[in-house]
Amino acid sequence: MVPASEFARFKRDPLVVSTGYDYPFARIPEAAGVDVIVVGDSLANVVLGLPTTRDVGMDAMSLFVGAVGRGARDTHIMADMPYGSDAEPALAVANAKRFLSLGAHSVKLEGPKLEAVKALVSEGVPVFGHVGLLPQTAKNFKQVGRAAAERDEVLRAAEALAAAGAFGMVLEHVPDDLAAEITRRVPVPTVGIGAGPGTDGQVLVLHDLLGMHAGNYPPFAKAFADLHGAALAGLGEYCRSVRARAYPTR
Ligand code: KIV
């Protein structure tokens, strides 16, 4: 398990991150050797079938953080702060400590909530930033940072998060050249999702990268497997075998 204090090495070595939400799907990324499992609030969409990430709160997230903590004991687990849970610095600290007590090693929060970041850092809670497309508050899912003013805003947010003590940050759905520029400018590792090849690492939602066909499939996601197809084939065979009385055998 790589602790937050050693993440500087990922300015050199590529940082591989996936999400993970429950016990079996924490064991698999751990066995595959990912560096970080993010218990993302994307579980609202891909696990619970809810319309937005705003639809999960601390209680639901805590259930999943605990499951991932039990499934991946040797991997860095990062818990996403759900919408509203980091609205005030003291609230953010209390909620983050709840996640740490359930097995998380760090937390991630969306946007430049600098006072919350500083409070977390001063309480010894490692915190990761997240800039660019911010699903909790986004009005649409278009790329962020194409216009000059928006680009500048994302760049300044990234620099401010690093200065406030974030030990790294997700860059979501921003132009490749902006992601590369942020990566050059900030001293902490950047992890891209739909941000091109110029970041220090990459993150994908587990259900997208394994081809589970859950929720909306973003244009930048790549399926590295076809779990949906494999599961359908297995279940189809099970149905056929039972109906043909071929399973179980006497
Ligand atoms: O919720 C999520 O899945 C995320 C990923 C981009 C890490 O925030």
Side-chain angles (χ1 to χ4, degrees):
M1 198 278 287
V2 185
S5 57
E6 290 174 21
F7 266 52
R9 82 180 215 204
F10 295 120
K11 251 355 232 181
R12 213 181 39 242
D13 307 328
L15 171 54
V16 183
V17 184
S18 81
T19 63
Y21 310 103
D22 58 15
Y23 181 79
F25 285 104
R27 287 167 52 106
I28 294 168
E30 171 158 286
V34 308
D35 298 303
V36 176
I37 299 174
V38 181
V39 188
D41 60 2
S42 52
L43 69 85
N45 312 125
V46 299
V47 176
L48 299 175
L50 294 167
T52 78
T53 57
R54 292 166 71 130
D55 296 317
V56 282
M58 280 303 296
D59 288 345
M61 288 295 296
S62 297
L63 200 61
F64 289 99
V65 170
V68 171
R70 289 185 289 278
R73 295 189 183 273
D74 296 322
T75 304
H76 187 112
I77 297 167
M78 186 179 290
D80 226 355
M81 301 292 289
Y83 181 69
S85 69
D86 52 11
E88 299 293 335
L91 182 66
V93 169
N95 284 325
K97 286 189 172 173
R98 182 171 168 194
F99 283 153
L100 298 195
S101 76
L102 292 166
H105 303 100
S106 63
V107 298
K108 174 174 85 57
L109 54 75
E110 287 189 13
K113 300 187 184 98
L114 303 180
E115 293 314 312
V117 171
K118 287 180 196 160
L120 288 161
V121 171
S122 77
E123 286 286 325
V125 180
V127 53
F128 218 71
H130 185 153
V131 299
L133 178 66
L134 306 175
Q136 288 175 2
T137 48
K139 292 196 175 65
N140 58 56
F141 286 82
K142 289 190 189 142
Q143 195 179 52
V144 173
R146 279 195 219 167
E150 204 176 58
R151 182 185 174 97
D152 200 45
E153 201 180 311
V154 176
L155 196 51
R156 276 189 283 112
E159 288 181 320
L161 279 165
F167 72 100
M169 67 194 71
V170 168
L171 310 181
E172 180 162 354
H173 209 10
V174 297
D176 294 10
D177 64 328
L178 173 56
E181 184 175 355
I182 293 171
T183 301
R184 280 193 300 276
R185 285 205 194 189
V186 298
V188 293
T190 61
V191 179
I193 176 164
T199 52
D200 296 307
Q202 296 293 328
V203 57
L204 281 175
V205 166
L206 191 69
H207 288 46
D208 296 341
L209 84 89
L210 292 181
M212 288 200 253
H213 296 211
N216 292 329
Y217 195 75
F220 48 77
K222 175 173 173 178
F224 289 82
D226 178 19
L227 241 59
H228 185 77
L232 272 183
L235 280 161
E237 185 54 24
Y238 172 62
C239 292
R240 278 189 294 280
S241 299
V242 172
R243 287 179 184 133
R245 301 207 183 278
Y247 173 83
T249 47
R250 289 184 202 284

